[in-house]
């Protein structure tokens, strides 16, 4: 019987090795798998390459992973925000490597990995330092830069509901990078707020099929900085 429900966060992330490339979902404060990130801090894997839209907020979640000194390199679109002091301090002191990628390119590079695309040409970044020394090509009179996929050893994502086969549905903006990251990683671990009985999720609403998901962990609903779900009274 296929049952991908993990007993705990610790069990789900136990096998993440040192040096892994970890794709972490989330956009701002929406859809961040904080419980999995906290578990990764406790688990102790180090020398990680982290792929995320941001570079952490405040002192929690991804910022806590950075502060613990577990991340060697981060690939992201928006490394500096009003409360990104942890990353800022590490970067200025030369303790972390940054690969800055325009947001659309980041999403497409991750999607390309899941779709089996070897590389693609994109106009964004042409003529800037972001293009680096990569190959460029003129196509129909427009200049493009060659971009390569971003593959992950593991993806940590947050969904709304899931079943024991690993099928997932998301809640609104919390969906963001989750679906493409699930496809681009060798192993995907997802948190959900509700475990659905097998067969009760409408197949037309399933965003991430279970074939891309390896473990599912149920977590409680908590309030986020932007409001979100409120704790039970």
């Amino acid at each position: 019987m296929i049952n991908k429900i993990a007993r705990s966060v610790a069990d789900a992330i136990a096998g993440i090795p040192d040096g892994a490339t970890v794709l972490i979902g989330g956009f701002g404060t929406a859809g961040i798998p904080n419980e999995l990130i906290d578990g990764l801090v406790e688990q102790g894997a180090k020398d990680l390459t982290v792929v995320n839209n941001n570079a952490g907020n405040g002192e929690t979640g991804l910022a806590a992973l950075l502060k613990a000194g577990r991340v060697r390199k981060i690939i992201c679109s928006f490394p500096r925000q009003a409360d990104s002091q942890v990353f800022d301090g590490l970067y200025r002191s030369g303790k972390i490597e940054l690969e800055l990628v325009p947001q659309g390119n980041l999403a497409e590079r991750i999607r390309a990995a899941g779709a089996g695309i070897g590389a693609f040409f994109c106009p964004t970044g042409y003529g800037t330092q972001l293009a680096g020394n990569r190959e460029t090509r003129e196509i129909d009179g427009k200049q493009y830069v060659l971009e390569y996929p971003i593959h992950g050893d593991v993806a940590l994502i947050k969904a709304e509901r899931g079943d024991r086969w690993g099928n997932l549905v998301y809640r609104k903006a919390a969906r963001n990078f989750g679906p493409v990251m699930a496809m681009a990683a060798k192993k995907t671990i997802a948190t959900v707020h509700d475990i659905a009985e097998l067969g009760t999720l409408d197949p037309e609403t399933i965003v991430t099929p279970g074939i891309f998901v390896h473990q599912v962990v149920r977590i409680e609903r908590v309030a986020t900085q932007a409001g979100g779900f409120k704790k039970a009274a």
Side-chain angles (χ1 to χ4, degrees):
M1 180 180 69
I2 298 175
N3 187 357
K4 299 179 180 180
I5 307 300
R7 291 177 298 179
S8 66
V9 167
D11 285 350
I13 66 170
I16 299 177
D18 294 349
T21 296
V22 185
L23 314 180
I24 300 179
F27 186 104
T29 58
I32 300 175
N34 280 317
E35 292 78 4
L36 296 178
I37 300 172
D38 291 345
L40 187 55
V41 173
E42 294 296 323
Q43 187 254 25
K46 58 184 183 297
D47 196 32
L48 302 172
T49 295
V50 168
V51 183
N52 184 258
N53 187 65
N54 298 28
N57 300 84
E59 303 282 333
T60 62
L62 179 53
L65 186 65
L66 298 180
K67 190 173 182 178
R70 305 290 172 71
V71 181
R72 177 186 65 82
K73 176 180 179 180
I74 188 162
I75 303 173
C76 70
S77 295
F78 294 93
R80 297 194 64 198
Q81 302 172 95
D83 58 353
S84 61
Q85 64 271 9
V86 173
F87 167 80
D88 198 56
L90 291 171
Y91 184 72
R92 289 179 181 275
S93 61
K95 295 180 179 178
I96 193 169
E97 181 182 348
L98 170 67
E99 181 179 341
L100 188 63
V101 184
Q103 189 178 76
N105 290 23
L106 182 68
E108 186 64 6
R109 288 178 65 187
I110 298 169
R111 191 198 70 82
I117 296 171
F120 62 93
F121 283 95
C122 182
T124 306
Y126 176 79
T128 73
Q129 293 182 5
L130 291 178
N133 296 319
R134 294 196 300 277
E135 177 186 343
T136 60
R137 183 175 299 184
E138 182 177 331
I139 302 173
D140 291 334
K142 191 171 185 178
Q143 298 293 337
Y144 292 79
V145 179
L146 185 64
E147 298 281 359
Y148 290 94
I150 298 175
H151 296 269
D153 294 302
V154 62
L156 306 180
I157 63 175
K158 180 179 181 180
E160 177 69 10
R161 303 183 71 204
D163 60 27
R164 66 175 175 86
W165 281 2
N167 296 310
L168 303 176
V169 296
Y170 301 83
R171 181 179 186 270
K172 300 181 179 180
R175 170 173 172 170
N176 52 70
F177 284 87
V180 290
M181 286 184 169
M183 294 178 64
K186 296 176 183 176
K187 180 178 181 179
T188 295
I189 303 167
T191 59
V192 298
H193 294 304
D194 297 307
I195 302 293
E197 289 294 326
L198 196 63
T200 61
L201 292 178
D202 182 352
E204 296 296 330
T205 68
I206 292 172
V207 178
T208 299
I211 192 172
F212 298 114
V213 180
H214 300 79
Q215 290 188 289
V216 176
V217 187
R218 184 185 176 278
I219 60 170
E220 297 296 328
R221 300 181 191 274
V222 296
T224 67
Q225 295 178 4
F229 294 106
K230 304 299 182 182
K231 293 182 179 179

